[in-house]
């Protein structure tokens, strides 16, 4: 089949970008979307032009490297799919596709379709972990975890950190991402000791990173390649409120917002 | 350069106490002094991530590098099936000794006993560590950890988190790493690719990196360098590895004096989705667990083009069940892959290309019901359908082997140190524990064992035993390596030929796959060597790399990696040619039993082949590390 692509090209973070049209003949329905871009890029290189920059690695929907908008939808039209898992049999001859980077203030553009999502790492740095020294763990079966709890925790832990939730949200909120980690760790018995602190610190960091606030629109859930449920945001809010209400002093006696600020912005 | 020494430092005494004894004999670094040591960790996968986190926690000053935009994106994230541990939770007769025994045997007696024993011992602690970190392993209704049998093991010792075990283990290590970033003990440098190693007075003292966003070339000084950069399966172009996985870090270290061990030991995974066209960019693994319930077959007659549902039972050949009655579809990976190739070579392969066999769930669905099968493999079936457009509940899956893992890697001693003092190598990047064939669910175990439980001790021993001179980036050794790195990038950009890097990579991959893949022979390997050298020369005259060196430029990244693959591919063929026996993943057609099983030659080849680099155009020098077996007596593997 034949497709027409309009792709966002922008040489550098500060350069001016624009949509550029590419006509792609001979698209096989068995190709993945990224393989189609590979073919376009090979052609560009042979013409001496720079290939379209996009991030990718595993190409099986697990590393979270890929991600851009196709016709305004993060990761394209298929539900529960990262764009690397999207196959061209979804499209038909003559389709016109508009391909643009994820846009959010907290995700500065790097080049073409690639954006910098390190703000998400900083949210984890702020407290998205259970503190356990290497070698100090008790026997694995000492703490039983009810199967349902483990399954729910796994549902939230499936997040691949791609940032589609942020790109889809009109407020560019990272609530689904942050909520997923808070839910994963908060559901497990191992995660209880730091639960309050975790919610406070991670939420503070998300705010510092210029992500917007969640107003319960739900676009995030619709585009999430791992179909993480918006319920994780409710759990995050509950943990956060509880922690704030208890107003417990942190063991480090640090103000989470001050700490978040010190972790620095891009 | 000092003459290369192969000293394995294997501990003496009974194997059960060897590691503990070795640990006791190692020197310690005073807690207050640790922060004075700078350690450079290249890689943030299971091996690098767990190492950087643990070293930071001990108080060392750590810099951790990855080419990915975030440490969490390392290729370990893609591992599906699970991780082994000798917990014997199932009360089915597992033990540390059994895991050790299975791994030595599975590796076809080409691994060191002491290393493997330590790995089996550490396996237990890994699970404890990961549970404590919050890794959501599968659970039984009573809340205990669940296990499954995996990859042909006869006990259930595999721990898993749905089909996303690697992801969950890596997130555990990543979170531990981020905790250290917050503590200020680890500085994380994503989007940073190591392009060379700096050796000063015979010790690894630093690396040269390229910032992938700005193109800036930079030197980093350290008291020790830890490489955990993953495997080199992408030499073959098509593999189950992530697109970015590459051999540059280990190859450039090899060229600076680190011996490369057993490069021809590569693993081919039997159950991958077959290639569908020229544009194919990578291959997708279908988890090995599918072989627990799926039955593998091909038509009895060659070129039988009937659709599978019209081929009656009597015209089908369930060849693994037929040839290996006791293991059936669960024979180890190398055996399964070779048999699949054999039936396809006979013209009995299925699918448009003839390079495929059926993996059929019809019987299992009949026996257990569709719901049970969906519960066990639902996500895999869905993934298969997404890629192929076929529904495996109704039509048997088609699978074909693909390159999946590399047992070979930089040579390391028992302390995981390479032949360059101060250069440590962990995870898939080293050659250590799997011999000639790796068992399923053992790579994750090894990466974490290396990172959490070995390097924290052994690196201290090195630091405490060596007085290193203070050096800075202005040291002549740094200046000259940096200049070489800059020159190479310039050179690649200046060629401006007519072929893309990818077209070279594809051609190289095909040569290596055909001649140094599932089966090899002397003639084919000689032929491959000639063609690889020719292609390499053409590459350096005719490759086309576009753009600038001072920004995000995938074209430059790829060209540098492929340049290394040419040299590595050559070494793989040389090693394969030199090893006149068949063992594990290395099947030399000249050396097989009358019923086509691999024929080892323990008298002549019971050694680790450690190759020394002597120049791109001069033959590498072979050093042999003899292997001794005191606990598991070498026998011909039999899965009949
Ligand atoms: C599809 C698939 C499924 C698998 N399933 C299983 C399984 O079920 N069980 C099992 O035990 N094993 C499995 N394996 C094998 C296992 O996943 C790998 O062997 C293991 O994860 C490798 O870990 P690592 O830490 O050594 O390297 P990797 O995870 O590959 O990490 C490499 C790191 O090094 C960095 N890096 C590389 N080069 C450079 C450079 N030059 N400069 C800077 N940084 C660099 C990368 O950015 C990355 O952070 C699977 C493998 C594949 C391909
Ligand atoms: S490339 Fe890894 S999720 Fe898409």
């Amino acid at each position: 089949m034949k497709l027409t692509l309009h792709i966002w090209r922008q040489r550098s973070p500060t350069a001016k970008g624009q949509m550029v049209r590419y006509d792609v003949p001979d698209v096989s329905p068995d190709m993945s979307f990224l393989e189609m871009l590979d073919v376009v890029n090979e052609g560009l290189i042979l013409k001496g032009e720079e290939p379209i920059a996009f991030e990718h690695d595993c190409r099986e929907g697990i590393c979270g490297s890929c991600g851009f908008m196709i016709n305004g939808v993060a990761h394209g039209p298929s539900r529960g799919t990262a764009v690397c898992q999207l196959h061209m049999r979804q499209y038909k001859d003559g389709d016109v596709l508009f391909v643009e980077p994820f846009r959010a203030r907290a995700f500065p553009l790097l080049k073409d379709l690639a954006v910098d999502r390190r703000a998400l790492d900083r949210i984890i740095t702020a407290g998205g972990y259970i503190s356990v020294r290497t070698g100090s763990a008790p026997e694995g079966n000492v703490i039983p975890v009810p199967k349902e709890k483990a399954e729910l925790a796994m549902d939230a832990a499936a997040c691949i950190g791609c940032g589609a939730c942020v790109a889809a949200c009109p407020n560019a909120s990272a609530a689904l991402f942050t909520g997923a980690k808070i839910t994963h760790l908060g559901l497990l018995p191992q995660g209880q000791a730091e639960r309050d602190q975790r919610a406070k610190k991670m939420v503070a960091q998300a705010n510092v990173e210029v992500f917007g606030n969640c107003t319960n629109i739900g676009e995030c859930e619709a585009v999430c390649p791992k179909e993480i449920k918006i319920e994780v945001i409710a759990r995050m809010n509950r943990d956060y409120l509880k922690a704030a209400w208890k107003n417990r002093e942190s063991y480090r006696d640090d103000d989470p917002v001050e700490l978040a600020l010190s972790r620095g912005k891009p | 350069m000092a003459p290369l020494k192969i000293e394995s430092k294997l501990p003496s005494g009974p194997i059960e106490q060897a590691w503990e004894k070795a640990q006791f004999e190692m020197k310690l670094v005073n807690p207050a002094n640790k922060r004075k040591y700078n350690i450079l960790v290249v890689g943030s996968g299971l091996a690098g991530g767990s190492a950087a986190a643990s070293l930071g926690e001990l108080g060392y000053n750590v810099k951790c590098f990855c080419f990915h935009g975030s440490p969490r994106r390392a290729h370990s994230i893609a591992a599906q099936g699970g991780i082994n541990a000798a917990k014997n939770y199932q009360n089915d007769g597992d033990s540390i000794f059994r895991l050790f025994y299975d791994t030595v045997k599975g590796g076809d007696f080409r691994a060191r006993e002491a290393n493997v024993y330590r790995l089996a011992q550490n396996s237990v602690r890994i699970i404890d560590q990961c549970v404590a970190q919050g890794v959501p392993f599968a659970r039984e209704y009573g809340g205990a950890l669940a296990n499954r049998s995996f990859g042909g093991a006869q006990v259930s010792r595999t721990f898993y988190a749905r089909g996303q075990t690697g992801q969950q283990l890596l997130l555990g290590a990543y979170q531990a790493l981020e905790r250290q970033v917050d503590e200020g003990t680890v500085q994380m440098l994503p989007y940073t690719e190591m392009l060379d190693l700096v050796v000063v007075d015979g010790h690894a003292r630093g690396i040269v990196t390229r910032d992938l966003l700005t193109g800036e070339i930079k030197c980093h000084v350290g008291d020790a360098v830890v490489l955990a950069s993953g495997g080199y399966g992408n030499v073959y172009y098509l593999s189950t590895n992530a697109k970015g996985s590459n051999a540059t870090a280990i190859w450039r270290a090899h060229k600076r004096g680190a011996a490369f061990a057993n490069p021809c030991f590569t693993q081919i995974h039997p159950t991958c989705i077959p290639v569908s066209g020229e544009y194919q960019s990578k291959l997708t693994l279908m988890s090995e667990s599918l072989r627990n319930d799926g039955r593998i077959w091909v038509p009895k007659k060659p070129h039988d083009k009937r659709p599978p549902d019209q081929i009656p039972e009597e015209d089908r050949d369930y060849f693994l069940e037929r040839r290996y009655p006791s293991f059936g579809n669960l024979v180890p990976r190398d055996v399964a892959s070779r048999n699949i190739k054999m039936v396809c070579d006979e013209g009995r392969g299925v699918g448009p290309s003839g390079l495929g066999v059926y993996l059929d769930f019809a019987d299992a669905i009949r026996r257990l019901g569709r719901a049970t099968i969906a519960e066990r493999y639902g996500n895999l079936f869905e993934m298969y359908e997404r890629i192929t457009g076929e529904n495996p509940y109704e039509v048997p899956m088609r699978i074909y082997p693909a390159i999946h893992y590399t047992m070979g890697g930089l040579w390391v001693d028992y302390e995981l140190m390479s032949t360059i003092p101060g250069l440590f190598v962990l995870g898939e990047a080293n050659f250590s524990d799997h011999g000639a064939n790796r068992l399923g669910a053992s790579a994750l175990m090894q990466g974490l064992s290396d990172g959490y439980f070995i390097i924290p001790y052994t690196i201290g021993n090195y630091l405490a035993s060596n007085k290193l001179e203070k050096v800075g980036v202005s040291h002549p050794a740094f200046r000259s390596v940096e200049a070489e790195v800059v020159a190479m990038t310039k050179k690649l950009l200046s060629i401006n030929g007519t072929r893309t890097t990818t077209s070279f990579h594809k051609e190289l991959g095909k040569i290596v796959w055909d001649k140094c893949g599932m089966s090899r022979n002397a003639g084919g390997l000689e032929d491959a060597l000639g063609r690889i050298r020719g292609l390499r020369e053409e590459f350096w005259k005719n490759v086309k790399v576009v753009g600038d060196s001072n920004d995000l430029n995938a074209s430059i990244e790829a060209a540098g990696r492929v340049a290394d693959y040419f040299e590595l591919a050559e070494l793989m063929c040389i090693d394969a040619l030199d090893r006149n026996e068949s063992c594990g993943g290395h099947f030399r057609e000249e050396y097989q039993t009358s019923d086509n099983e691999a024929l080892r030659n323990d008298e002549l080849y019971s050694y680790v082949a450690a190759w020394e680099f002597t120049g791109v155009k001069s033959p590498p020098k072979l050093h042999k590390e003899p292997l001794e077996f005191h606990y598991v007596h070498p026998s011909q593997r039999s899965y009949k």
Side-chain angles (χ1 to χ4, degrees):
Chain A
M1 63 185 145
K2 239 182 92 162
L3 294 178
T4 305
L5 305 177
H6 295 270
I7 299 182
W8 184 261
R9 301 299 309 261
Q10 180 172 338
R11 264 207 63 85
S12 72
T14 48
K16 211 170 127 354
Q18 58 176 357
M19 296 299 274
V20 176
R21 177 185 165 135
Y22 299 93
D23 292 298
V24 200
D26 301 329
V27 176
S28 151
D30 290 327
M31 279 179 175
S32 71
F33 199 94
L34 299 189
E35 284 170 343
M36 181 206 45
L37 288 183
D38 290 341
V39 172
V40 173
N41 275 344
E42 285 289 287
L44 291 176
I45 295 175
L46 286 176
K47 283 197 282 182
E49 289 175 35
E50 278 207 49
I52 301 154
F54 61 92
E55 281 197 68
H56 65 99
D57 197 31
C58 72
R59 297 201 172 194
E60 12 189 279
I62 193 76
C63 73
S65 297
C66 67
F68 42 74
M69 314 293 280
I70 305 176
N71 291 346
V73 182
H75 289 304
S78 305
R79 276 213 159 214
T81 303
V83 73
C84 58
Q85 298 169 288
L86 180 66
H87 276 70
M88 297 313 289
R89 65 179 73 85
Q90 296 286 334
Y91 296 98
K92 55 181 194 319
D93 191 46
D95 277 354
V96 181
L97 306 178
F98 293 83
V99 183
E100 285 180 88
F102 283 173
R103 296 199 192 271
R105 208 147 59 100
F107 289 169
L109 190 133
L110 298 170
K111 187 173 184 173
D112 300 336
L113 303 176
V115 298
D116 185 345
R117 290 162 288 181
R118 281 178 282 187
L120 297 180
D121 288 321
R122 288 190 291 269
I123 294 179
I124 301 296
T125 313
Y129 44 73
I130 292 173
S131 302
V132 47
R133 201 175 322 108
T134 302
S136 69
E139 213 293 320
N141 257 344
V142 161
I143 316 164
V145 180
K147 188 172 164 68
E148 315 79 75
K149 276 252 162 96
E151 295 291 329
L152 275 177
M154 180 63 218
D155 287 342
C159 168
I160 60 175
C162 63
C165 46
V166 177
C169 174
N171 308 325
S173 164
L176 197 73
F177 172 84
T178 313
K181 188 48 64 193
I182 288 175
T183 301
H184 159 208
L185 299 177
L187 276 166
L188 296 171
Q190 305 90 300
Q192 297 312 309
E194 291 164 294
R195 190 165 167 187
D196 292 349
Q197 285 306 319
R198 183 181 306 121
K200 276 207 268 187
K201 292 196 219 162
M202 292 178 74
V203 170
Q205 190 70 33
N207 291 335
V208 168
E209 299 288 350
V210 297
F211 287 108
N213 285 323
C214 170
T215 52
N216 277 317
I217 297 170
E219 286 291 329
C220 51
E221 182 183 275
V223 299
C224 175
K226 294 294 147 191
E227 302 186 298
I228 293 186
K229 300 278 170 289
I230 201 163
E231 163 197 329
V232 301
I233 301 180
R235 285 181 185 271
M236 168 178 77
N237 289 338
R238 197 188 56 192
D239 278 13
Y240 181 73
L241 282 175
K242 209 171 88 196
W245 192 72
K246 276 205 226 155
N247 199 17
R248 260 217 242 127
E249 288 301 302
S250 136
Y251 58 93
R252 277 166 37 168
D253 216 18
D254 291 329
D255 174 358
V257 178
E258 280 298 312
L259 260 175
L261 281 167
S262 73
R263 243 167 246 120
K265 282 192 273 182
Chain B
M1 220 186 275
L4 188 146
K5 272 200 303 233
I6 300 287
E7 253 177 73
S8 56
K9 296 197 212 135
L10 288 183
S12 55
I15 203 165
E16 295 82 359
Q17 282 107 49
W19 174 228
E20 208 180 327
K21 181 164 155 273
Q23 275 171 282
F24 179 72
E25 286 164 3
M26 283 178 204
K27 291 200 181 145
L28 301 172
V29 176
N30 176 309
N33 281 340
K34 290 205 175 86
R35 67 188 161 75
K36 295 183 192 149
Y37 288 106
N38 295 310
I39 298 175
L40 309 176
V41 178
V42 179
S44 64
L46 285 179
S50 59
S54 305
L55 293 170
E57 195 176 69
L58 281 170
Y60 292 110
N61 205 358
V62 180
K63 271 190 195 172
C64 181
F65 303 81
C66 70
F67 66 76
H68 292 90
S70 160
R72 66 181 291 158
R73 311 211 192 284
H75 169 58
S76 294
I77 202 98
Q80 304 169 349
I83 177 167
N84 287 333
K87 284 281 197 188
N88 194 29
Y89 282 162
Q90 303 304 319
N91 198 26
D92 56 359
D94 200 10
S95 62
I96 287 173
F97 196 88
R98 189 177 294 282
L99 176 54
F100 156 69
Y101 177 93
D102 288 354
T103 308
V104 171
K105 178 180 173 215
D108 220 356
F109 304 95
R110 290 295 173 263
R112 291 181 192 139
E113 281 190 329
N115 279 60
V116 178
Y117 196 88
R118 173 178 64 184
L119 175 65
Q121 284 175 310
N122 283 344
S123 71
V124 204
R125 305 181 69 196
I126 293 171
I127 299 303
D128 301 341
Q129 182 68 25
C130 296
V131 168
Q133 287 170 345
V135 169
F137 282 120
R139 299 271 169 173
E140 291 167 4
Y141 281 102
L145 290 154
N147 294 115
R148 62 182 170 207
S149 144
F150 192 75
Q154 292 189 313
V155 289
S156 292
R157 61 159 76 102
T158 303
F159 294 75
Y160 61 101
R162 299 206 183 131
Q164 287 134 272
T165 317
Q167 180 198 28
Q168 294 310 316
L169 296 174
L170 183 62
L171 292 181
Y174 157 75
Q175 288 163 202
L177 179 66
E178 292 299 333
R179 180 164 81 92
Q180 293 309 313
V181 170
D182 204 27
E183 296 284 341
T185 61
V186 178
Q187 187 194 349
M188 187 66 223
L189 292 98
Y191 290 123
T192 309
E193 179 159 31
M194 163 184 166
L195 291 182
D196 218 328
L197 178 77
V198 183
V199 181
V200 179
D201 296 333
H203 291 259
R205 292 308 304 274
I207 61 174
V208 176
T209 58
R210 178 169 183 271
D211 181 319
L212 299 182
L213 301 181
T214 64
E216 188 193 0
I217 305 285
K218 217 173 148 181
C219 295
H220 305 264
V221 183
D223 297 292
V225 177
V226 178
L227 296 188
S229 53
Y232 54 89
N234 276 348
V235 168
Y236 292 85
Y237 186 69
L238 287 181
S239 85
T240 61
N241 287 12
K243 288 294 285 176
S245 299
N246 70 88
T248 289
I250 54 172
W251 189 254
R252 306 227 174 141
H254 173 58
K255 291 171 85 168
R256 299 274 169 210
F260 205 116
N262 300 336
C264 82
F265 288 169
T266 54
Q267 179 166 79
I268 293 173
H269 196 292
T271 53
C272 303
I273 300 180
V275 176
S276 72
E278 249 311 291
Y279 48 79
Q280 186 102 24
S281 62
K282 71 157 290 187
L283 294 170
T284 303
L285 173 80
M286 298 304 308
S287 167
E288 189 144 47
S289 59
L290 290 169
R291 287 200 277 147
N292 287 342
D293 286 306
R295 298 180 69 196
I296 294 180
W297 65 275
V298 287
K300 276 195 179 140
K301 282 194 291 296
H303 313 295
D304 186 339
K305 288 285 165 213
R306 287 177 289 177
D309 58 344
Q310 285 167 34
I311 302 182
E313 210 52 39
E314 64 271 17
D315 290 349
R316 300 177 176 193
D317 180 12
Y318 295 88
F319 54 95
L320 291 178
E321 298 172 22
R322 172 170 59 79
R323 294 196 62 199
Y324 307 94
S326 69
F327 278 68
N329 293 299
L330 293 174
V331 290
R333 293 174 176 177
D334 53 337
V335 179
S337 296
R338 212 157 42 238
N339 277 276
I340 292 172
K341 178 177 173 359
M342 226 145 62
V343 296
C344 292
D345 288 349
E346 290 162 15
R348 299 197 285 146
V350 300
S353 63
L355 295 177
V357 300
Y358 291 124
L359 177 61
D360 197 337
F361 289 86
D363 281 350
I365 291 173
R366 230 169 285 135
R367 185 162 40 94
L368 302 163
R370 187 176 158 136
T372 308
I373 294 299
E375 192 192 317
R376 285 188 192 165
Y377 310 111
N379 58 343
L380 295 168
F381 278 30
E382 199 188 309
M383 177 161 116
Y384 180 86
E385 181 165 5
R386 210 188 318 240
I387 294 174
T388 62
E390 287 175 3
N391 175 356
Y393 292 103
E394 266 132 44
V395 191
M397 278 184 181
R398 279 179 296 114
I399 51 146
Y400 196 69
I403 279 289
H404 177 60
Y405 182 86
T406 50
M407 282 75 69
L410 292 185
W411 183 90
V412 287
D413 63 20
Y414 187 67
E415 300 184 6
L416 304 183
M417 190 159 83
S418 71
T419 53
I420 303 177
L423 178 70
F424 293 81
V425 192
L426 321 182
E428 195 173 337
N430 74 25
F431 89 106
S432 64
D433 298 348
H434 308 292
N437 175 54
R438 174 175 71 79
L439 293 181
S442 290
L444 301 181
M445 169 171 79
Q446 182 224 329
L448 291 179
S449 166
D450 289 359
Y452 284 133
F453 297 120
I454 300 176
I455 191 73
Y457 301 97
T458 60
I459 213 166
N461 188 35
Y462 168 77
L463 295 169
S465 316
N466 286 279
K467 271 239 155 330
L468 297 169
E469 178 207 348
K470 265 222 153 345
V471 294
V473 292
S474 54
H475 189 281
F478 278 90
R479 304 313 332 138
S480 88
V481 175
E482 182 182 320
E484 283 177 50
V485 168
V486 172
M488 178 164 174
T489 313
K490 265 220 183 89
K491 166 92 190 153
L492 285 168
L493 275 167
S494 70
I495 299 168
N496 198 17
T498 61
R499 278 185 74 176
T500 64
T501 302
T502 306
S503 87
F504 280 105
H505 193 180
K506 277 188 185 169
E507 188 175 337
L508 172 70
K510 182 140 179 22
I511 300 173
V512 196
W513 174 246
D514 287 344
K515 308 291 181 186
C516 194
M518 267 188 284
S519 74
R520 301 132 186 215
N521 62 56
L525 290 163
E526 299 275 11
D527 177 45
L529 279 168
R531 283 162 58 192
I532 293 167
R533 287 174 190 142
L535 196 63
R536 183 185 70 222
E537 271 168 32
E538 190 197 336
F539 174 85
W540 283 104
K541 285 191 202 118
N542 195 25
V543 71
K544 188 172 183 78
V545 182
V546 296
D548 295 328
S549 62
N550 60 0
D551 71 346
L552 182 58
N553 184 342
S555 177
I556 290 190
E557 293 166 30
R561 293 169 186 170
V562 173
D564 294 336
Y565 287 147
F566 284 113
E567 296 170 19
L568 172 53
E570 202 177 320
L571 186 66
M572 288 163 64
C573 293
I574 290 174
D575 185 44
L577 195 56
D578 202 69
R579 193 170 274 282
N580 289 303
E581 65 163 349
S582 295
C583 58
H586 170 63
F587 188 78
R588 278 282 300 269
E589 288 157 13
E590 303 94 317
Y591 309 101
Q592 48 181 310
T593 62
S594 52
D595 55 352
N596 309 105
E597 299 299 340
L599 193 60
R600 259 192 358 251
N601 183 339
D602 290 334
E603 219 162 293
L604 294 177
Y605 292 95
S606 186
Y607 62 74
V608 175
W611 296 92
E612 178 180 355
F613 183 80
T614 62
V616 174
K617 290 184 182 155
S618 77
K621 188 166 164 223
L622 176 63
H623 300 258
K624 297 178 186 175
E625 180 202 331
L627 292 168
E628 284 172 29
F629 295 89
H630 301 290
Y631 295 85
V632 191
H633 188 67
S635 55
Q636 204 206 323
R637 288 192 305 160
S638 170
Y639 296 94
K640 296 258 171 201

